[in-house]
């Protein structure tokens, strides 16, 4: 008799997650069978890993290359890249719920194949357009007084955005739904697949941009576009074949519960709660139709009387609203919100942190080395997650990971006040009266001289001109560092990167914890829309950290950004602690 835990029920379909002890023992016995390696290579897990690796590799190459291409096209200016980032984030923020609802309402194979096809074809067409623009840029600029160039830029950004939306749909379908079904709703196997997929993502996040970057450096941008074009065509065929085979050999993937409307789902959950709490009470009888009960049907008639375009728009708005409501009523709502809050941070290996490191005298080669070390610590986090979950349970794993994450980030807070920190709060008050500045002119000039003279590049913006930048893995590495850019002490920058690198162990362990909580606790018929809204929340909080940098762009402000980031992260982990407290209290009451 198998040990079962945490049954999740929705729409008449019971999804049971069982303990992995018995099935793990059975898996260990299978390993000793001759030919088990060949069976594994033909199995659904390995096919999903290979398909995911190809998809992630292509995504990482494209995300890196499109940023470089847009900068090169616009005269080495960051404007097009910024517009592209805003369009991508805004589209996922607005359409995340609609994408998830589309994933829920359609068969799994149709969703995966359509998303895969749209993503790869969009990247392919975009690569062709970029190759034409790079090859005939001067001629294109002469047509329509240069407006054809604007049209080409617009087409490139739109196609790249469509590819990103399709990639989001594919990620929700495969990594949030297919994996749960493939593992047979076994918690241990689900944790193992989640961790493996994250390790693949960590490795491709480093290697893929380096590979396409070498092609673009040794050859040209046109060759780089051709390389990405060829990769996507080959990847499309291989992924399509692998996903089709997985769909055939896992019959459970073809079974999908119907999507219920919000009121029906809420009513079913209420009835289940009543039946569990009052088992002796008879189920509620259906109520006769009244004026109040007929409101929904009257509302439906009003919608059908509208023109078709207004009906579509109203349906889209209603779907988005229902998606956010579904997200809010989930039992893991606080855990998901906590994960989203972790995106509002400058404490990661992105262009902001590496730009700040450049102003503090850190070379590009050293930054590359630190990025490699951070990837290793990220992999350590995935290993720690699987072991902690097996020993202490999923909820406690999140608590331990949160404490480890926050503890390491305290080093970043200490770096703000450590020797060598360029933080200068006076720069946040440019409106000081001239009289005050005259009275303190001598002292101020001396202090500023001490602040800037020893750090020649410290008063530059966090993103200097593109001419000194090498783009690697969505980060910027700078050459031609001024000889006088070294700070008087490296203690501050050492503490900062020590905290950022070590914190990734707890960060990725916590990320995997919340991911599995969402997989286990969300109804199968709502998996897509809830994860779509989760993606929207992640993009929204990620936008906030760019707004923070725009508001305080100087290196002297970076210490303030660090403190704000830690406050956001602390708020996110506090939300998770509240969720864990409620989950444990509910478990005690149930027992």
């Amino acid at each position: 008799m198998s040990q079962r835990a945490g049954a999740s029920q929705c729409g008449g379909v019971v999804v049971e997650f069982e303990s992995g002890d018995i099935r793990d023992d059975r898996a260990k016995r299978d390993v000793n069978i001759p030919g088990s390696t060949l069976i594994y290579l033909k199995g659904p897990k390995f096919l999903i890993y290979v398909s995911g690796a190809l998809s992630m590799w292509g995504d990482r190459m494209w995300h890196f290359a499109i940023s470089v291409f847009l900068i090169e096209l616009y005269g080495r200016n960051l404007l097009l890249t910024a517009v592209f980032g805003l369009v991508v984030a805004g589209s996922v923020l607005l359409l995340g719920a609609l994408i998830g609802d589309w994933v829920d309402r359609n068969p799994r194979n149709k969703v995966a194949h359509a998303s895969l096809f749209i993503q790869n074809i969009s990247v392919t067409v975009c690569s062709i357009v970029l190759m034409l623009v790079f090859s005939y840029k001067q001629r294109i600029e002469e047509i329509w007084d240069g407006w054809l160039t604007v049209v080409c830029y617009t087409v490139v950004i739109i196609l790249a955005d469509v590819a990103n939306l399709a990639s989001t749909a594919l990620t929700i379908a495969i990594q949030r739904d297919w994996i749960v079904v493939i593992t047979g709703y076994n918690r241990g196997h689900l944790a193992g697949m989640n961790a493996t997929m994250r390790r693949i993502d960590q490795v491709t996040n480093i290697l893929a941009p380096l590979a396409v970057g070498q092609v673009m450096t040794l050859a040209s941008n046109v060759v780089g576009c051709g390389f990405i074009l060829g990769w996507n065509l080959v990847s499309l065929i291989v992924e399509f074949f692998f996903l089709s085979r997985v769909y055939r050999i896992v019959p459970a993937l073809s079974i999908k519960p119907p999507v219920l409307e919000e009121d029906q789902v809420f009513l079913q959950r209420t009835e289940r709660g009543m039946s569990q709490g009052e088992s002796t009470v008879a189920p509620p009888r259906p109520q006769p139709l009244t004026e109040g009960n007929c409101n929904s049907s009257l509302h439906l008639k009003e919608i059908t009387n509208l023109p078709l375009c207004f009906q579509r728009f109203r349906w889209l708005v209603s779907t988005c609203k229902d998606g956010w409501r579904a997200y809010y009523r989930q039992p893991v709502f606080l855990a998901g919100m906590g994960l989203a809050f972790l995106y509002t941070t400058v404490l990661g290996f992105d262009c902001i942190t590496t730009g700040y490191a450049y102003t503090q005298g850190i070379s590009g080669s050293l930054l590359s080395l630190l990025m490699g070390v951070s990837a290793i610590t990220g992999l350590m986090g995935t290993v720690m997650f699987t072991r902690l979950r097996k020993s202490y349970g999923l909820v406690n794993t999140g608590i331990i990971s949160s404490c480890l994450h926050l503890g390491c980030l305290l080093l970043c807070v200490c770096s703000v006040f450590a020797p060598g920190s360029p933080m200068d709060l006076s720069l946040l008050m440019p409106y000081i009266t001239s009289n005050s500045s005259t009275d303190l002119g001598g002292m101020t000039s001396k202090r500023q001289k001490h602040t800037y003279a020893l750090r020649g590049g410290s008063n530059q913006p966090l993103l200097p001109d593109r001419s000194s930048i090498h783009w690697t893995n969505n980060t910027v590495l700078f050459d031609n560092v001024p000889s006088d850019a070294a700070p008087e002490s490296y203690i501050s920058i050492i503490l900062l990167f020590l905290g950022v690198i070590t914190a990734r162990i707890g960060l990725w362990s916590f990320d995997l914890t919340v991911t599995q909580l969402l997989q286990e606790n969300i109804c199968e018929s709502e998996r897509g829309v809830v994860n779509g809204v989760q993606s929207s929340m992640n993009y929204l909080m990620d936008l906030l950290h760019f707004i923070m940098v725009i508001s305080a762009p100087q290196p002297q402000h970076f210490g303030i950004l660090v403190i704000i980031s830690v406050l956001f992260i602390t708020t996110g982990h506090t939300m998770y602690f509240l969720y864990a407290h409620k989950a444990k209290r509910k478990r005690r009451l149930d027992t």
Side-chain angles (χ1 to χ4, degrees), residues 409-479:
L409 290 181
L410 290 178
L411 295 174
C412 300
V413 177
C414 294
S415 71
V416 175
F417 308 98
S421 174
M423 188 175 70
D424 187 0
L425 297 179
S426 64
L427 294 178
L428 296 177
M429 298 179 291
Y431 49 83
I432 297 178
T433 60
S434 58
N435 292 335
S436 299
S437 61
T438 303
D439 295 337
L440 301 176
M443 296 179 60
T444 303
S445 60
K446 290 180 180 179
R447 182 174 53 79
Q448 288 181 346
K449 182 178 179 180
H450 173 73
T451 303
Y452 300 129
L454 294 176
R455 288 185 290 274
S458 65
N459 58 346
Q460 301 174 2
L462 293 179
L463 285 177
D465 183 74
R466 169 65 175 86
S467 58
S468 61
I469 303 176
H470 289 303
W471 291 80
T472 303
N473 188 32
N474 294 331
T475 61
V476 285
L477 306 180
F478 301 91
D479 285 340

Side-chain angles (χ1 to χ4, degrees), residues 524-583:
E524 188 173 1
S525 61
E526 294 180 325
R527 238 175 241 157
V529 67
V530 173
N531 281 285
V533 175
Q534 181 67 49
S535 299
S536 298
M537 283 299 306
N538 295 344
Y539 272 92
L540 173 62
M541 303 307 291
D542 189 47
L543 277 177
L544 291 182
H545 105 272
F546 283 109
I547 295 175
M548 287 164 42
V549 176
I550 293 173
S551 303
Q554 300 296 334
Q556 292 81 9
H557 304 155
F558 192 77
I560 303 298
L561 300 181
V562 168
I563 296 175
I564 295 175
S565 299
V566 173
L567 290 177
F568 269 95
I569 293 173
T570 303
T571 303
H573 287 305
T574 302
M575 290 181 177
Y576 180 82
F577 293 151
L578 292 175
Y579 160 77
H581 175 71
K582 290 182 178 180

Side-chain angles (χ1 to χ4, degrees), residues 49-343:
Y49 292 153
V50 175
S51 176
L54 292 174
S55 178
M56 294 174 191
W57 187 281
D59 286 347
R60 298 301 185 182
M61 284 199 308
W62 175 245
H63 290 162
F64 164 78
I66 188 63
S67 299
V68 178
F69 292 154
L70 291 176
I71 290 173
E72 293 291 345
L73 287 176
Y74 204 66
R76 299 196 171 188
N77 190 293
L78 295 172
L79 178 61
L80 278 184
T81 305
V83 172
F84 170 67
L86 181 62
V87 170
V88 167
S91 59
V92 176
L93 177 61
L94 295 176
L95 304 177
L98 294 176
I99 293 173
D101 182 76
W102 176 73
V103 172
D104 286 332
R105 292 181 180 274
N106 292 277
R108 289 188 172 96
N109 61 335
K110 179 180 178 181
V111 170
H113 293 161
S115 302
L116 183 65
F117 182 81
I118 293 173
Q119 178 193 7
N120 286 272
I121 294 302
S122 298
V123 173
T124 300
V125 175
C126 190
S127 299
I128 294 174
V129 174
L130 286 171
M131 292 174 68
L132 294 175
V133 173
F134 279 124
S135 300
Y136 306 101
K137 186 176 181 180
Q138 293 183 352
R139 295 184 182 180
I140 292 175
E141 290 177 347
E142 297 174 356
I143 301 176
W144 299 346
D145 295 330
W147 283 103
L148 182 58
T149 304
V150 177
V151 172
C152 293
Y153 294 163
T154 305
V155 170
V156 168
I157 292 178
I158 291 176
L159 288 174
D161 184 47
V162 171
N164 183 74
L165 292 174
S167 176
T168 302
L170 186 63
T171 300
I172 293 174
I174 302 300
Q175 299 187 27
R176 301 295 183 267
D177 183 31
W178 282 47
I179 286 179
V180 181
V181 180
I182 290 172
T183 56
Y185 305 98
N186 178 275
R187 284 193 169 101
H189 294 175
L190 181 59
M193 284 200 74
N194 285 332
T196 302
M197 294 295 287
R198 191 53 49 85
R199 290 166 193 156
I200 294 173
D201 182 62
Q202 288 288 307
V203 174
T204 56
N205 192 28
I206 297 296
L207 298 181
L210 291 177
V212 70
Q214 290 299 316
V215 173
M216 294 163 58
T217 301
L218 298 177
S220 65
N221 289 330
V222 175
V223 176
C225 292
F227 178 76
I228 294 175
L229 186 152
W231 177 275
N232 276 272
L233 291 178
V234 174
S235 177
L236 172 62
I237 298 173
V238 176
E239 289 182 64
F240 187 91
F241 174 77
F242 281 6
L243 292 179
S244 299
R245 178 169 176 79
V246 171
Y247 187 80
R248 288 196 303 268
I249 63 181
V250 182
L253 289 173
S254 61
I255 304 173
K256 198 170 186 179
V259 177
L260 301 178
E261 298 300 328
E262 180 189 5
D263 295 337
Q264 293 176 305
V265 175
F266 181 77
L267 181 61
Q268 286 191 359
R269 290 185 174 182
T270 304
E271 291 177 353
R272 285 200 307 272
M274 293 176 61
S275 63
Q276 293 175 1
E278 303 175 4
S279 56
T280 59
V281 179
R285 298 178 181 177
Q287 299 178 355
L289 289 176
T290 63
E291 181 179 356
N293 295 334
C294 293
N295 285 338
S296 58
S297 60
L298 293 175
H299 180 66
L300 181 60
K301 291 182 179 179
E302 292 177 359
I303 293 179
T304 55
N305 291 332
L306 294 173
L308 181 60
C309 59
F310 287 101
Q311 291 181 29
R312 292 289 183 89
F313 178 77
R314 196 159 185 174
W315 178 82
L316 292 176
V317 174
S318 177
T319 302
C320 290
K321 183 173 66 175
D322 292 343
W324 284 89
R325 285 179 177 176
Y327 179 74
Y328 175 75
R329 69 168 181 262
Q330 295 300 320
V332 290
F333 164 72
L334 287 175
M337 283 293 295
L339 177 63
F341 266 71
L342 268 58
Y343 281 76

Side-chain angles (χ1 to χ4, degrees), residues 503-518:
R504 293 176 71 86
I505 300 176
L507 171 64
W508 290 116
S509 179
F510 179 79
D511 179 89
L512 286 170
T513 299
V514 176
T515 297
Q516 184 154 343
L517 285 172
L518 293 173

Side-chain angles (χ1 to χ4, degrees), residues 356-364 366 455 481-482 484-487 490 493:
Y356 171 76
Y358 160 75
T359 65
Q360 300 304 295
I362 304 300
S363 64
L366 180 57
R455 288 185 290 274
V481 179
D484 59 346
Y490 285 99
I493 196 69

